[in-house]
Amino acid sequence: MRKIIQIDDEKCDGCGVCANACHERAIEIVDGKARLVKESYCDGLGDCIGECPKDAISFVMRDAEAYDEAAVKKRIAETIAPKGGRTGCLGSEVRQFRREWKDNFVYPNGDRVEINASELTNWPVQLALVPTDAPYLKGANLLLAADCTAFAYAEFHKRILNGHVALIGCPKLDDSAFYLEKLTEIFKINRPREITVAYMEVPCCAALVRITHEAMERAELHVVLKLIKLSLNGGFMEIKTIEPKK
């Protein structure tokens, strides 16, 4: 018998705050709900409990596997250096979150301005860093965006990123063969519901569309594909929807 967390499915809305708060990486978001990955990962200290905005987590006393510190250290190492990623830096640590706020930014001269909330709900976003089995990819509305799109289009968060899981990259500066293999694996494992590609009008950027097409074919993924081409001055040039072949 030991103290361990319990998650109330009815209250949990899958915001991911608890998963980020758990230093042992004992919690993941699965099918839109927080889940205790393994009993032996939970140390029973409850860092997650005070962070849950829905009061969906509590302590219970029950028969449970003993806390395994060695297994937790191994899991943390694997999480920080994720499957399918290129680096072991802390910046590649998988995170999933939900923003429901606006923020106030104060300039050095004292002027205050209200800033709209970011629409980003996942981390990492760089394609090279994203684990192919990151929980936020499962069945997602996936946005593949060229690096420059968010800088060129002022309404990127509101009009394009909103409601999507984001992956970004540059097929000109990065390894396009790596992108193809990575996306194929992501599509095979996670079966996204829909894919949107946002890219710039320059010829090299269109390679992201070609890579996505080929990865979908390799993965035998038949879903709606939306293509958004942006101009260099930040306007929409073309929006195309490609229905899956029957």
Side-chain angles (χ1 to χ4, degrees):
M1 294 284 291
R2 75 177 183 94
K3 186 166 67 172
I4 195 167
I5 66 161
Q6 176 175 274
I7 302 170
D8 186 333
D9 270 4
E10 294 298 319
K11 293 182 179 179
C12 177
D13 65 357
C15 70
V17 172
C18 59
N20 294 334
C22 180
H23 298 297
E24 288 69 39
R25 303 295 178 260
I27 300 174
E28 287 184 358
I29 305 302
V30 180
D31 296 329
K33 298 288 183 179
R35 294 283 183 266
L36 180 61
V37 178
K38 200 172 183 180
E39 291 179 348
S40 60
Y41 293 160
C42 178
D43 61 6
L45 296 179
D47 289 335
C48 56
I49 291 179
E51 300 297 326
C52 178
K54 299 295 183 180
D55 293 323
I57 306 177
S58 58
F59 279 131
V60 293
M61 289 292 296
R62 64 173 176 82
D63 286 327
E65 293 180 58
Y67 173 62
D68 188 338
E69 185 176 0
V72 168
K73 288 181 178 179
K74 181 181 179 183
R75 173 168 174 77
I76 290 172
E78 291 173 347
T79 305
I80 293 176
K83 176 183 177 184
R86 286 179 169 180
T87 177
C89 72
L90 289 171
S92 65
E93 189 174 351
V94 174
R95 296 173 182 268
Q96 187 172 6
F97 38 84
R98 182 175 300 166
R99 301 181 189 272
E100 297 178 351
W101 43 263
K102 292 189 176 184
D103 200 6
N104 290 314
F105 181 82
V106 181
Y107 288 98
N109 66 1
D111 290 345
R112 183 182 298 271
V113 61
E114 187 179 71
I115 301 173
N116 288 329
S118 168
E119 296 291 347
L120 185 66
T121 60
N122 62 283
W123 188 267
V125 295
Q126 220 292 333
L127 183 55
L129 299 180
V130 174
T132 55
D133 58 356
Y136 51 72
L137 295 173
K138 188 70 68 176
N141 287 330
L142 197 59
L143 170 65
L144 302 174
D147 289 349
C148 300
T149 54
F151 293 94
Y153 184 50
E155 293 282 287
F156 181 86
H157 277 248
K158 183 178 180 181
R159 304 295 184 187
I160 297 178
L161 179 55
N162 185 15
H164 292 83
V165 167
L167 301 180
I168 67 170
C170 177
K172 181 177 177 64
L173 298 180
D174 296 334
D175 184 349
S176 59
F178 168 78
Y179 276 9
L180 177 58
E181 295 299 323
K182 185 74 171 284
L183 286 175
T184 300
E185 187 72 6
I186 287 174
F187 295 164
K188 283 181 178 179
I189 293 173
N190 301 285
R191 315 308 291 180
R193 292 194 301 272
E194 184 177 288
I195 297 173
T196 299
V197 180
Y199 63 106
M200 301 301 298
E201 64 176 302
V202 292
C204 57
C205 210
L208 189 59
V209 177
R210 175 186 57 78
I211 291 168
T212 303
H213 268 296
E214 187 171 347
M216 290 175 67
E217 290 177 1
R218 289 189 180 191
E220 297 183 349
L221 179 67
H222 306 292
V223 297
V224 172
L225 174 63
K226 295 181 178 179
L227 305 177
I228 301 175
K229 182 193 288 189
L230 300 172
S231 66
L232 297 183
N233 65 3
F236 280 96
M237 290 190 67
E238 182 180 47
I239 303 176
K240 182 187 298 184
T241 298
I242 302 174
E243 298 289 339
K245 296 180 181 178
K246 296 182 179 180

